[in-house]
Amino acid sequence: MPSPLARCTAVRAGWTVNLSLATLAVFMAFMTPIQILLPLQLEHIDPHGKNDALSLVTGLGALVVVLANPLAGAWSDRTTSRFGRRRPWILGGALAGTAGLSVTATQHTWPESPSAGASRRQA
């Protein structure tokens, strides 16, 4: 039986560089709003409860990712499409990510946190 490595072909340096740049671009597109703009937006919406709001938003986001990534991976492994197994999921993920960022960008309200309400009543 031939080794699985015998079927592997080496990739060129340009391919590796392009993959690295594409990964950097995706992470910058998704992580910049989360790490820089989201805290600023939450501070603008609720200055007193910004820490609670950021904790809740990032915690719920992490929970969704923990559940969604394995499910999407399993479903994509079973996908049969004329476009391939991964392309429909890549497109769907890009559209869902764009929709999520668009909703985040247009958000102007947040339920008042209990700590903010208590501090306002004391003042």
Side-chain angles (χ1 to χ4, degrees):
M1 179 174 181
S3 167
L5 297 177
R7 293 183 304 208
C8 295
T9 56
V11 294
R12 296 186 175 170
W15 187 90
T16 304
V17 168
N18 286 336
L19 177 64
S20 299
L21 291 174
T23 303
L24 176 66
V26 167
F27 274 101
M28 287 181 67
F30 282 107
M31 296 308 288
T32 300
I34 292 169
Q35 292 187 352
I36 296 173
L37 300 178
L38 184 60
L40 293 174
Q41 186 177 17
L42 290 171
E43 182 178 27
H44 178 70
I45 293 171
D46 185 8
H48 299 288
K50 63 184 177 186
N51 293 332
D52 294 338
L54 185 60
S55 299
L56 183 63
V57 169
T58 55
L60 288 176
L63 179 63
V64 168
V65 167
V66 165
L67 298 174
N69 281 348
L71 288 174
W75 291 336
S76 72
D77 289 343
R78 291 168 178 78
T79 299
T80 55
S81 164
R82 65 181 179 144
F83 302 111
R85 290 190 313 175
R86 306 284 186 238
R87 287 187 186 114
W89 288 92
I90 292 169
L91 178 62
L95 293 174
T98 301
L101 289 175
S102 298
V103 168
T104 301
T106 59
Q107 188 66 29
H108 299 292
T109 61
W110 178 260
E112 185 174 299
S113 68
S115 62
S119 65
R120 287 186 188 144
R121 284 190 293 273
Q122 292 174 357

